[in-house]
Amino acid sequence: MLRDVDIKDIWDGRFYNAEDKVRVGCNACEGCSDCCRTTGDSIILDPYDLYQLTKGLGLTFTDMIEKQIEIRSVDGMILPNIMEHDEEHPEKEDGCPFLNEAGRCGIYQFRPGFCRLFPVGRYYTGEPERSFRYFVQKDECTKKDSPRHKVRLKDWLGIPQLGKYEAYITRWHYFLKDVSAGLKLMNEQSREQIARYVLQVFYVMPYQGQEDFYAQFDRRLNKVRAELLPGTER
Ligand code: SF4
Ligand code: SF4
């Protein structure tokens, strides 16, 4: 989720890339699950998150909606986020529905990018570079007093084909930014139609498990860019 804050108030003073070592290691959280209990609606899913979740759980977007995920408006777009409680198990305390009874992540192997990063964040550079850097959010983890060891960022993330993933994340971020900017010039009905179309193309329409996700995503992105932002497709 984009945070409307001055980075100087929340970072450790430098930018990193995936090969750098960052002091975030907390010995697998050692029984703490604070940040999974206070997620609210902050875990916004990108299309790769949704692809991983549906593949890992053997469910579709439609199966999950209003059970583990919900949609809401973010800068004019309609995007899914993980719910802040377990709709299927109302007796459970509020918190991420994927947090299991042992206080561990029940979908660790295919948890969203937001969770993989934490407490690392992405800082988007904007124009003309259209890229991003990693930074450490210094006060986000509640275990402030426990010693932290250094971990190579790419190992912390544990995402296969990280170069492809980073390129995809960048394309997705700037696509949303471009569409969102265009929506501001439209009437409410057109805004809603386009936001729902983007949701349909990138989330509701299933991805084929046997084909590379990034190839499928690129095809969809090029098609939608050509339709909504002509001349900007790759
Ligand atoms: S608050 Fe920190 S130690 Fe606790 S679960 Fe989150 S990352 Fe781990
Ligand atoms: S998906 Fe897993 S790591 Fe992320 S908030 Fe939920 S339980 Fe925590």
Side-chain angles (χ1 to χ4, degrees):
M1 187 173 71
L2 280 181
R3 296 180 68 187
D4 189 15
V5 291
D6 187 334
I7 191 171
K8 293 193 194 79
D9 295 336
I10 60 169
W11 78 337
D12 72 345
R14 60 166 289 196
F15 290 123
Y16 301 92
N17 66 46
E19 293 296 331
D20 289 327
K21 287 190 166 180
V22 288
R23 198 172 286 284
V24 289
C26 57
N27 295 324
C29 302
E30 286 176 328
C32 174
S33 51
D34 283 1
C35 57
C36 304
R37 296 182 192 280
T38 53
T39 52
D41 56 8
S42 65
I43 306 181
I44 297 172
L45 302 170
D46 61 56
Y48 182 73
D49 289 335
L50 204 274
Y51 164 76
Q52 290 281 83
L53 265 181
T54 51
K55 197 167 132 195
L57 294 169
L59 297 172
T60 63
F61 177 92
T62 312
D63 293 331
M64 296 179 73
I65 197 76
E66 298 304 336
K67 293 184 183 127
Q68 297 96 351
I69 62 173
E70 62 192 350
I71 51 172
R72 70 184 168 91
S73 177
V74 182
D75 292 331
M77 308 305 297
I78 300 174
L79 302 175
N81 61 263
I82 292 187
M83 294 172 81
E84 59 181 315
H85 60 272
D86 191 339
E87 196 67 25
E88 303 258 273
H89 300 95
E91 72 286 357
K92 273 172 69 177
E93 277 177 42
D94 276 359
C96 175
F98 299 114
L99 190 63
N100 65 24
E101 283 171 9
R104 311 299 288 176
C105 177
I107 56 164
Y108 190 77
Q109 295 306 321
F110 43 92
R111 67 199 184 286
F114 179 96
C115 308
R116 288 177 180 274
L117 279 165
F118 191 88
V120 176
R122 296 188 202 108
Y123 175 81
Y124 289 92
T125 57
E127 309 299 338
E129 195 184 345
R130 290 203 153 204
S131 177
F132 74 83
R133 307 272 183 279
Y134 297 104
F135 71 100
V136 176
Q137 304 178 88
K138 60 182 164 86
D139 293 324
E140 288 296 294
C141 172
T142 56
K143 265 188 154 182
K144 292 193 179 61
D145 299 331
S146 64
R148 310 235 146 224
H149 57 273
K150 281 193 165 184
V151 187
R152 202 171 295 283
L153 195 40
K154 70 177 181 189
D155 298 331
W156 182 253
L157 295 171
I159 298 173
Q161 299 182 286
L162 188 59
K164 268 188 164 185
Y165 173 81
E166 290 177 331
Y168 144 78
I169 279 290
T170 306
R171 288 201 295 284
W172 177 241
H173 173 83
Y174 288 104
F175 165 72
L176 289 182
K177 206 167 162 34
D178 291 345
V179 176
S180 181
L183 291 184
K184 292 192 178 111
L185 308 171
M186 295 176 188
N187 64 38
E188 198 177 330
Q189 193 185 2
S190 304
R191 283 204 299 267
E192 162 117 19
Q193 264 176 7
I194 288 175
R196 289 206 172 270
Y197 178 57
V198 170
L199 178 75
Q200 175 69 28
V201 171
F202 290 101
Y203 293 97
V204 183
M205 210 166 84
Y207 292 88
Q208 302 306 314
Q210 59 275 40
E211 192 191 347
D212 177 52
F213 165 80
Y214 300 111
Q216 297 179 69
F217 171 81
D218 280 349
R219 273 203 304 278
R220 295 180 193 201
L221 186 70
N222 281 339
K223 177 176 181 291
V224 178
R225 267 200 176 276
E227 291 166 347
L228 302 182
L229 304 159
T232 67
E233 60 274 27
R234 294 192 327 163

Short mmCIF file of all heavy atoms in Angstrom, two decimals, residues 35-36 39 43 82 96 98-99 104-107 111-112 115, ligand 2:
data_model
loop_
_atom_site.label_atom_id
_atom_site.label_comp_id
_atom_site.label_asym_id
_atom_site.label_seq_id
_atom_site.Cartn_x
_atom_site.Cartn_y
_atom_site.Cartn_z
N CYS A 35 2.36 -8.33 13.61
CA CYS A 35 2.01 -7.61 12.38
C CYS A 35 0.93 -8.34 11.58
O CYS A 35 0.26 -7.73 10.76
CB CYS A 35 3.25 -7.31 11.54
SG CYS A 35 4.19 -8.74 11.09
N CYS A 36 0.73 -9.64 11.82
CA CYS A 36 -0.33 -10.37 11.12
C CYS A 36 -1.69 -10.18 11.80
O CYS A 36 -2.72 -10.54 11.25
CB CYS A 36 0.00 -11.86 11.08
SG CYS A 36 1.59 -12.22 10.33
N THR A 39 -3.20 -6.14 10.52
CA THR A 39 -3.03 -5.77 9.11
C THR A 39 -4.10 -4.80 8.62
O THR A 39 -3.89 -4.07 7.66
CB THR A 39 -3.10 -7.03 8.22
OG1 THR A 39 -4.29 -7.73 8.56
CG2 THR A 39 -1.89 -7.92 8.41
N ILE A 43 -3.10 -5.02 3.28
CA ILE A 43 -2.40 -5.95 2.37
C ILE A 43 -3.13 -5.99 1.03
O ILE A 43 -3.99 -6.85 0.77
CB ILE A 43 -2.24 -7.34 2.96
CG1 ILE A 43 -1.57 -7.25 4.33
CG2 ILE A 43 -1.42 -8.24 2.03
CD1 ILE A 43 -1.35 -8.58 5.01
N ILE A 82 -6.42 -8.47 1.46
CA ILE A 82 -6.74 -9.53 2.42
C ILE A 82 -7.64 -8.93 3.50
O ILE A 82 -7.39 -7.81 3.95
CB ILE A 82 -5.46 -10.13 3.03
CG1 ILE A 82 -4.71 -10.89 1.94
CG2 ILE A 82 -5.79 -11.05 4.20
CD1 ILE A 82 -3.51 -11.67 2.43
N CYS A 96 -5.27 -11.36 10.21
CA CYS A 96 -5.27 -11.98 8.89
C CYS A 96 -5.91 -13.37 8.95
O CYS A 96 -5.57 -14.18 9.81
CB CYS A 96 -3.82 -12.10 8.41
SG CYS A 96 -3.70 -12.98 6.85
N PHE A 98 -5.32 -15.86 7.31
CA PHE A 98 -4.37 -16.94 7.03
C PHE A 98 -3.45 -17.23 8.22
O PHE A 98 -2.60 -18.11 8.14
CB PHE A 98 -3.54 -16.60 5.78
CG PHE A 98 -4.39 -16.46 4.55
CD1 PHE A 98 -4.52 -15.24 3.91
CD2 PHE A 98 -5.08 -17.55 4.05
CE1 PHE A 98 -5.30 -15.11 2.78
CE2 PHE A 98 -5.89 -17.43 2.91
CZ PHE A 98 -6.00 -16.21 2.28
N LEU A 99 -3.62 -16.47 9.29
CA LEU A 99 -2.82 -16.73 10.49
C LEU A 99 -3.42 -17.97 11.17
O LEU A 99 -4.62 -17.99 11.46
CB LEU A 99 -2.91 -15.52 11.42
CG LEU A 99 -1.98 -15.50 12.62
CD1 LEU A 99 -0.52 -15.46 12.17
CD2 LEU A 99 -2.29 -14.29 13.49
N ARG A 104 1.20 -18.81 13.25
CA ARG A 104 2.11 -18.81 12.09
C ARG A 104 1.31 -18.58 10.82
O ARG A 104 0.10 -18.81 10.78
CB ARG A 104 2.87 -20.15 11.97
CG ARG A 104 3.53 -20.64 13.23
CD ARG A 104 4.57 -19.69 13.75
NE ARG A 104 5.78 -19.68 12.94
CZ ARG A 104 6.81 -18.86 13.16
NH1 ARG A 104 6.76 -17.98 14.14
NH2 ARG A 104 7.88 -18.91 12.41
N CYS A 105 2.02 -18.17 9.79
CA CYS A 105 1.36 -17.94 8.51
C CYS A 105 0.98 -19.28 7.86
O CYS A 105 1.85 -20.10 7.61
CB CYS A 105 2.28 -17.15 7.57
SG CYS A 105 1.54 -16.91 5.95
N GLY A 106 -0.30 -19.46 7.60
CA GLY A 106 -0.77 -20.71 7.00
C GLY A 106 -0.53 -20.81 5.51
O GLY A 106 -0.80 -21.85 4.90
N ILE A 107 -0.04 -19.72 4.92
CA ILE A 107 0.21 -19.74 3.46
C ILE A 107 1.64 -19.27 3.18
O ILE A 107 1.90 -18.60 2.18
CB ILE A 107 -0.80 -18.85 2.70
CG1 ILE A 107 -0.79 -17.41 3.26
CG2 ILE A 107 -2.20 -19.43 2.74
CD1 ILE A 107 -1.44 -16.41 2.34
N ARG A 111 2.73 -16.61 0.39
CA ARG A 111 2.25 -15.37 1.02
C ARG A 111 2.49 -14.18 0.07
O ARG A 111 3.40 -14.23 -0.76
CB ARG A 111 2.92 -15.16 2.38
CG ARG A 111 4.40 -14.87 2.31
CD ARG A 111 5.06 -15.13 3.65
NE ARG A 111 6.48 -14.78 3.67
CZ ARG A 111 7.44 -15.48 3.11
NH1 ARG A 111 7.16 -16.57 2.41
NH2 ARG A 111 8.71 -15.10 3.21
N PRO A 112 1.69 -13.13 0.24
CA PRO A 112 1.82 -11.98 -0.67
C PRO A 112 3.15 -11.25 -0.56
O PRO A 112 3.85 -11.34 0.47
CB PRO A 112 0.68 -11.05 -0.22
CG PRO A 112 -0.25 -11.90 0.56
CD PRO A 112 0.57 -12.98 1.19
N CYS A 115 3.87 -9.17 2.59
CA CYS A 115 4.32 -9.93 3.77
C CYS A 115 5.78 -10.36 3.61
O CYS A 115 6.54 -10.41 4.58
CB CYS A 115 3.44 -11.15 3.98
SG CYS A 115 1.68 -10.76 4.02
S1 SF4 B 2 -0.58 -13.76 4.75
FE1 SF4 B 2 0.65 -14.75 6.31
S2 SF4 B 2 2.39 -13.36 6.66
FE2 SF4 B 2 0.78 -12.20 5.59
S3 SF4 B 2 -0.40 -11.21 7.23
FE3 SF4 B 2 -1.41 -13.15 6.73
S4 SF4 B 2 -0.58 -14.64 8.19
FE4 SF4 B 2 0.79 -12.84 8.17
#
